[in-house]
Amino acid sequence: MLLQERTMVCNNNAPTSLGSLSPQQELYLIEVNPRDACSANNHDPVGLYHDTNVTPPQTKKAARRTDVQTGSREIANALIDIAKLLEKQGCGSEAQISYKKAEKLGGGRETGSGIDHSGLLNVRYPEELARLIQGAHPGYLDADDLAKILDLLSNRLKDANQQSTPHMHQLTLAVSHVLNAMADTMVPGLDLGVAQEPDISSLLVSKNCVNDHSLLKHLEERAQHEPLLKGQLLSYIEHSKKDKKWRTAAANAITILVRAGVQFIGTDLQGIRIPGADLSYGVFDSANLQDADLRNVSLRGAWLRQTDMSRAQMAGVQFGELPFLTEADKFCSCAYSPDGQSFAVGLRHGDINVYTTSNWEKSRTLEGHTDLVWRVVYSPNGDQIASCSQDNSVRLWDSKTGSLHRLLSGHDDWVYCVAYSPQGNLIASASDDMTVRIWDTVTGDCRQTLRGHFGGVCCVAYSPNGNQIASSDADHTISLWDLETGNRIHTLLGHNGQVWDIKYSPRGDQLASASNDTTVRIWDVETRACRHVLSGHASPIYSIAYSPTGDHLASGSMDAAIRLWDAETGRCCQTLSGHTTSISVVAYSPDGNQIASGGGDLAVRLWDVSAGASRLISGGHTMEVNSVKCSPNGEMIASCSSDNTIRFWDVDTGACRRTFLGHNDSVFSIAYSPQGGHIASGSGDTTVRIWEMETGECMFALEGHLDSVHCVVFSPQGNTVASACDDTTVILWNVVTGECLGMLQGHTDGVRSVTFSPCGNQVASGSKDCTARIWDAGTGSCLWVLQGHTNWVRNVVYSPQGTQLATAGYDMTIRLWDVETGECSSTLSGHTDRVISVVYSHQGNLLISSSWDETVRLWDVGSGECRTEIRNLPGLIWSIAWGPPSAATYFVCASRDGSVLKWEVVREEETFHARLLWSSTSGTLVLMGASMQDVRGLSPLNEQLLRQRGAVALRQDS
């Protein structure tokens, strides 16, 4: 169970401390009925106090008091009883956990429990107790309650000795789950050393382990499976608040916990001392980090949405990137000068902007090209800038003055690429006229023309010794040329798509190529054999760059991700996320500490790669998430993405459990069958696929659509799937045979959404033609054309009762329609941009919507009022889904930044608010709404970055 599940917001909305309740305190105790643990009400979303005879602690007077230390001894004794039984059953590891916890609480191995268990909690299954403890707010259960629970389990195990082995095994596992849940809740009486000082002799106290990756990996795996170790690590963090002698241990501890997947959502970390910790990709949504010592901490890719870091010490903090540069136009090229002091960007309208890298201020603009600049590059000594353009020319500029030195004319078509020889006296240019030309940079004369390509030449590169040139064209091949003779000496074959970029390694022993086939290939220059095929990108790769040492290779793709590869092994070392559209260029700085990237989102992003990454974030989507759905049994969340995959997430922890592969393009929509045994998916590859959940096999790849399939849905009976397509049609498919049952035609533009009515007799669809239609599912006839929206109808959904249809429009409104009459009964206004998604609650009294205004709104269907609004999201929310009826207090979101988010809806009297429970890690730095007031030691560049990324109250304390 993740940390945020035990740091739930208390009555005053303040984050709950990791160790705010110690065994020295006397606590008010509340008796609870775990039979009601799965129910819910407004004040108690987990249903802990649904029994009308039991009221929540905030309103109930104390019924009894007890000494927690006595309760701790009772728990220890019960733990020993359980450990002995576990040993008899051959469950040694669980027994050792039980013994260790007993010793921690002061018990001895020969002591028995001896608790009077008359009137104990009437619980039928131990699993219910596990759920009870996991769902409890801190302080709702204490040592005395847990003593009774463990004593009950001990007696149940004794009774089970006479029963079958399978039943005994189930009980044993249940006890293990309860023990883990107890450790995770950190309730008084079972705190794992927070009140008492941790072990000062531990290696974690004396040694900084943050950069010892092998040790961290070992401890990370242990922390994931050993609650006792997790508790000890949390104890180090808590003790660092009061005594700086624990700061090394705390930095080690929080580094391990973040790596282990612990998410610190809403956690009170005020005053912690963790200098030098690696919190890369950690989740700290709404956490309290006031007055924390964060000096030299790595926050690369961290989620810091609405985190309060006021008065924190932040000297030397690394966010993994610098402030981005915003251009007024799209660009395809950029380059660092050899000394790293300047940086050039070639723009679509023909200008070249030059920046000074010390402050990233624009120093000059080179004007002369009349069309898109495809490539800019500095000469080896830095005195020239060469550029090539869609205006068919190559230009040489004086890098100091910005004046034009030479205009090289001769190509008959667009010039895509230029490259200097190692000595800088020659320059090669590649053109759509199917030639490579070699020019003298002093005289401007064309020395040589290489002919032999059968299509436009899009890239060219000089070998480091200057004797060879590599070039590629649209025929998927790479040509190697001998410059002395001008002859082609070899052709490299292997790519299945156009090669967009080629680069020699600095040592000249490798040649790398990036292709439309979504791979990078690394070739041995001497043997001309392919050493590695680098796979991982979901879309064509447009640019590659070697690090100055040649150890690493960066690749930028249409999938908006940058991947860093080990050039020797071919292993992906790191993924950089942040761009929102295709990446057209990547470039290393001369010292290798930065990577610049840019593309369609008009931003030049500057990544700090000096420290590298301590681990590779894997398991998550690498591109925008287009749709999410909750499984009918409530155990899994499914998501699909433009990275062509379908992924399945553990509903409690957010861990990625499975991935389905098979589509050849973006997956836009998914749907569970009513029984949960199958899932349907629709893709940009024009197919609908039906998958079997148990095996992961694709049963059918249904073909019939002529364009991207944007929505799929099962009928309530589960025997039919409907699919909506940009080809203006909806097709109904037989799930058992894969046959097309019928086609619904009538829309005049692409259909973006489709849904069945609750009883399955109707189908509704929403289209780019600004209408929604209601169809008879049996006959295929159109019953109603719903007109009123003035822009696309992006989403349609029936109310649970089937009497109402909600439509989400790109006209910024949500409209509610009477299904019987086809009339619009209500219009919900409030979003300030296009509405993307809308979904009813299971009772039908609430609607949740998402919009291009980057908010999620919760609406009262009856009144049409907006009840709450979620802001400061990491990006657009493409899809929303409620949890199943058995867990209707949460919803999940699909984000454009590649993450999946789970939220809890909390109702307090007449108001609602949403609290983040977990987020999958996308690797994108999130700072929206973070408070940085009076922080200390923040560098000017980091301050600029924080302002760009939405941090608030940013003022440094001098």
Side-chain angles (χ1 to χ4, degrees):
M1 182 170 134
L2 298 181
L3 180 62
Q4 79 272 14
E5 293 175 333
R6 61 170 175 269
T7 56
M8 302 179 76
V9 179
C10 295
N11 225 22
N12 58 2
N13 293 324
T16 304
S17 172
L18 293 174
S20 59
L21 300 171
S22 74
Q24 309 304 322
Q25 295 173 304
E26 289 186 339
L27 302 175
Y28 291 96
L29 303 180
I30 305 298
E31 292 192 47
V32 298
N33 187 343
R35 285 175 295 182
D36 296 301
C38 295
S39 59
N41 64 22
N42 292 345
H43 299 281
D44 177 30
V46 297
L48 195 59
Y49 296 93
H50 190 63
D51 190 342
T52 56
N53 296 319
V54 182
T55 55
Q58 61 263 35
T59 60
K60 179 172 179 174
K61 295 182 179 179
R64 54 191 172 89
R65 304 180 71 181
T66 189
D67 184 347
V68 174
Q69 290 182 331
T70 301
S72 298
R73 288 193 296 271
E74 291 175 343
I75 290 179
N77 294 335
L79 282 165
I80 291 166
D81 281 353
I82 290 177
K84 291 178 180 178
L85 288 164
L86 291 171
E87 282 182 330
K88 290 179 182 178
Q89 296 299 321
C91 302
S93 59
E94 286 88 349
Q96 288 303 312
I97 292 174
S98 190
Y99 274 131
K100 288 179 181 178
K101 291 180 179 179
E103 291 171 356
K104 192 74 178 178
L105 296 171
R109 292 206 174 196
E110 299 303 319
T111 308
S113 64
I115 298 176
D116 179 13
H117 36 267
S118 59
L120 286 178
L121 303 175
N122 181 19
V123 180
R124 183 174 180 184
Y125 298 111
E127 288 88 344
E128 292 179 1
L129 290 171
R131 287 196 295 270
L132 171 69
I133 297 171
Q134 288 173 333
H137 291 214
Y140 282 22
L141 291 174
D142 67 2
D144 192 48
D145 293 301
L146 294 178
K148 288 184 177 182
I149 289 172
L150 285 170
D151 187 63
L152 171 65
L153 288 172
S154 175
N155 283 279
R156 284 291 172 84
L157 284 171
K158 291 174 185 176
D159 295 339
N161 281 332
Q162 306 302 320
Q163 299 181 21
S164 65
T165 300
H167 181 67
M168 186 63 218
H169 180 65
Q170 284 185 338
L171 275 174
T172 301
L173 290 177
V175 171
S176 176
H177 293 159
V178 171
L179 294 177
N180 288 339
M182 288 170 54
D184 278 352
T185 53
M186 295 194 67
V187 296
L190 198 70
D191 77 12
L192 300 176
V194 171
Q196 300 176 357
E197 283 200 345
D199 182 9
I200 192 67
S201 63
S202 169
L203 176 68
L204 295 178
V205 178
S206 58
K207 178 186 176 183
N208 186 329
C209 305
V210 171
N211 295 315
D212 189 337
H213 301 317
S214 59
L215 177 60
L216 288 177
K217 180 66 175 175
H218 170 69
L219 293 174
E220 167 193 343
E221 292 173 351
R222 284 189 56 198
Q224 289 171 338
H225 300 98
E226 299 179 25
L228 184 62
L229 174 60
K230 186 189 295 183
Q232 290 170 339
L233 296 174
L234 293 169
S235 177
Y236 284 130
I237 299 169
E238 188 69 18
H239 277 82
S240 75
K241 297 178 179 180
K242 301 175 182 177
D243 193 335
K244 65 181 181 181
K245 73 179 180 183
W246 302 108
R247 60 188 178 186
T248 299
N252 290 328
I254 199 167
T255 298
I256 295 165
L257 290 170
V258 167
R259 290 173 60 105
V262 175
Q263 298 191 353
F264 293 83
I265 297 175
T267 308
D268 185 1
L269 300 171
Q270 183 172 4
I272 63 170
R273 296 179 172 94
I274 53 169
D278 185 358
L279 307 186
S280 298
Y281 314 112
V283 179
F284 295 86
D285 185 274
S286 302
N288 181 2
L289 280 164
Q290 294 178 4
D291 304 299
D293 184 353
L294 304 178
R295 290 174 297 170
N296 301 310
V297 166
S298 175
L299 291 169
R300 181 191 309 272
W303 183 302
L304 298 165
R305 173 187 170 273
Q306 294 186 329
T307 301
D308 191 349
M309 306 173 86
S310 300
R311 302 179 302 281
Q313 298 181 57
M314 300 188 71
V317 166
Q318 301 172 30
F319 290 100
E321 54 186 293
L322 299 178
F324 56 80
L325 309 176
T326 302
E327 295 291 354
D329 201 357
K330 291 184 179 181
F331 58 95
C332 296
S333 58
C334 65
Y336 285 91
S337 64
D339 60 9
Q341 295 181 12
S342 64
F343 180 80
V345 181
L347 304 177
R348 181 171 61 177
H349 63 261
D351 287 351
I352 300 169
N353 288 335
V354 181
Y355 295 85
T356 301
T357 58
S358 58
N359 56 13
W360 289 100
E361 296 289 336
K362 185 162 62 176
S363 58
R364 63 176 55 90
T365 298
L366 311 182
E367 299 177 340
H369 284 296
T370 59
D371 210 330
L372 187 153
V373 177
W374 280 109
R375 191 69 61 100
V376 291
V377 59
Y378 280 85
S379 63
N381 62 11
D383 62 348
Q384 272 186 0
I385 296 175
S387 60
C388 61
S389 169
Q390 210 159 281
D391 64 8
N392 303 357
S393 73
V394 176
R395 293 173 184 258
L396 306 182
W397 312 82
D398 187 298
S399 63
K400 303 300 181 184
T401 65
S403 60
L404 180 64
H405 177 63
R406 291 284 181 190
L407 172 61
L408 309 181
S409 300
H411 282 297
D412 299 324
D413 213 328
W414 297 356
V415 186
Y416 286 117
C417 187
V418 286
Y420 275 98
S421 66
Q423 298 75 27
N425 60 323
L426 299 174
I427 193 167
S429 59
S431 170
D432 215 19
D433 65 8
M434 300 187 290
T435 69
V436 174
R437 291 176 179 257
I438 312 298
W439 309 83
D440 187 302
T441 59
V442 177
T443 65
D445 295 335
C446 179
R447 292 274 196 90
Q448 199 172 10
T449 300
L450 307 180
R451 304 182 187 275
H453 283 288
F454 297 99
V457 188
C458 59
C459 52
V460 64
Y462 262 98
S463 65
N465 62 16
N467 296 330
Q468 191 180 88
I469 274 183
S471 60
S472 69
D473 64 22
D475 67 359
H476 312 172
T477 66
I478 301 164
S479 297
L480 304 181
W481 305 83
D482 184 297
L483 284 182
E484 186 174 346
T485 64
N487 295 329
R488 178 161 43 194
I489 55 177
H490 195 75
T491 300
L492 303 178
L493 305 174
H495 281 296
N496 296 317
Q498 180 164 344
V499 178
W500 289 108
D501 198 11
I502 50 178
K503 292 290 192 308
Y504 281 92
S505 65
R507 293 186 293 270
D509 59 329
Q510 291 182 354
L511 178 70
S513 55
S515 170
N516 221 40
D517 64 10
T518 75
T519 70
V520 174
R521 287 179 176 255
I522 296 180
W523 310 83
D524 187 296
V525 170
E526 184 176 352
T527 66
R528 293 153 188 170
C530 180
R531 288 186 182 179
H532 301 291
V533 178
L534 311 183
S535 300
H537 283 293
S539 299
I541 303 166
Y542 293 138
S543 180
I544 50 176
Y546 273 99
S547 63
T549 60
D551 297 331
H552 292 92
L553 182 74
S555 58
S557 166
M558 186 179 175
D559 65 11
I562 300 161
R563 289 181 176 259
L564 305 186
W565 311 84
D566 186 303
E568 188 62 33
T569 67
R571 182 179 68 91
C572 181
C573 307
Q574 191 176 353
T575 300
L576 306 178
S577 301
H579 283 288
T580 58
T581 59
S582 176
I583 297 170
S584 56
V585 60
V586 292
Y588 265 98
S589 63
D591 60 9
N593 291 335
Q594 288 179 6
I595 288 177
S597 62
D601 59 7
L602 309 187
V604 180
R605 290 192 177 268
L606 306 169
W607 310 90
D608 180 1
V609 293
S610 56
S614 61
R615 59 191 174 122
L616 174 64
I617 300 299
S618 60
H621 288 295
T622 58
M623 294 184 70
E624 59 188 356
V625 183
N626 297 313
S627 181
V628 286
K629 292 292 186 295
C630 296
S631 64
N633 64 9
E635 295 178 357
M636 285 287 175
I637 293 169
S639 62
C640 63
S641 167
S642 294
D643 65 9
N644 305 357
T645 68
I646 303 167
R647 297 179 187 267
F648 299 88
W649 311 83
D650 186 289
V651 72
D652 293 321
T653 67
C656 184
R657 299 301 187 195
R658 304 176 72 184
T659 302
F660 286 179
L661 302 172
H663 282 294
N664 300 317
D665 206 331
S666 299
V667 187
F668 291 118
S669 179
I670 47 174
Y672 274 102
S673 64
Q675 297 76 29
H678 298 90
I679 198 165
S681 58
S683 168
D685 63 12
T686 75
T687 69
V688 175
R689 289 179 178 255
I690 310 295
W691 310 79
E692 189 175 74
M693 283 300 302
E694 185 175 351
T695 64
E697 294 182 3
C698 178
M699 298 169 54
F700 298 107
L702 307 177
E703 298 180 350
H705 283 297
L706 304 177
D707 209 329
S708 297
V709 180
H710 282 278
C711 188
V712 291
V713 62
F714 273 92
S715 66
Q717 296 76 25
N719 58 350
T720 305
V721 164
S723 57
C725 180
D726 261 347
D727 63 8
T728 75
T729 69
V730 172
I731 294 180
L732 304 182
W733 309 88
N734 185 304
V735 174
V736 178
T737 65
E739 295 176 339
C740 174
L741 299 175
M743 182 180 293
L744 308 181
Q745 294 177 294
H747 284 294
T748 58
D749 208 336
V751 186
R752 285 302 176 108
S753 181
V754 65
T755 186
F756 277 95
S757 62
C759 62
N761 65 327
Q762 291 181 353
V763 173
S765 57
S767 169
K768 292 160 65 176
D769 65 9
C770 308
T771 71
R773 289 175 178 252
I774 297 178
W775 313 79
D776 186 295
T779 66
S781 60
C782 181
L783 302 176
W784 298 107
V785 178
L786 309 181
Q787 296 178 318
H789 285 288
T790 58
N791 207 329
W792 293 8
V793 178
R794 180 63 166 74
N795 195 210
V796 294
V797 60
Y798 276 94
S799 66
Q801 298 77 21
T803 58
Q804 193 177 74
L805 185 77
T807 56
Y810 269 18
D811 58 4
M812 301 185 290
T813 68
I814 300 163
R815 293 176 181 262
L816 308 182
W817 308 82
D818 187 297
V819 172
E820 286 294 321
T821 65
E823 295 180 355
C824 179
S825 58
S826 181
T827 300
L828 310 183
S829 301
H831 281 297
T832 58
D833 207 332
R834 293 155 289 178
V835 184
I836 302 169
S837 180
V838 64
V839 60
Y840 280 94
S841 65
H842 292 288
Q843 295 75 29
N845 60 324
L846 298 173
L847 275 171
I848 290 186
S849 61
S850 67
S851 165
W852 278 81
D853 62 14
E854 299 191 0
T855 69
V856 170
R857 288 175 175 251
L858 182 68
W859 306 85
D860 185 296
V861 173
S863 67
E865 294 180 358
C866 178
R867 306 303 296 272
T868 193
E869 183 181 51
I870 305 175
R871 291 185 173 272
N872 297 319
L873 294 164
L876 292 180
I877 300 299
W878 287 124
S879 175
I880 304 175
W882 281 100
S886 60
T889 59
Y890 75 82
F891 65 92
V892 292
C893 297
S895 174
R896 188 169 69 172
D897 79 333
S899 60
V900 176
L901 307 97
K902 179 184 176 183
W903 301 82
E904 179 187 32
V905 177
V906 180
R907 180 174 181 178
E908 295 176 352
E909 297 180 352
E910 295 303 315
T911 63
F912 293 83
H913 67 271
R915 185 174 66 89
L916 183 66
L917 294 178
W918 56 254
S919 167
S920 68
T921 303
S922 66
T924 303
L925 178 66
V926 177
L927 289 160
M928 290 295 295
S931 177
M932 302 284 177
Q933 187 166 353
D934 298 330
V935 294
R936 289 168 281 174
L938 195 67
S939 71
L941 282 177
N942 277 339
E943 182 177 354
Q944 184 181 349
L945 171 68
L946 295 177
R947 292 185 189 280
Q948 283 183 341
R949 306 302 284 273
V952 297
L954 190 63
R955 188 178 72 234
Q956 290 221 49
D957 186 358
S958 57

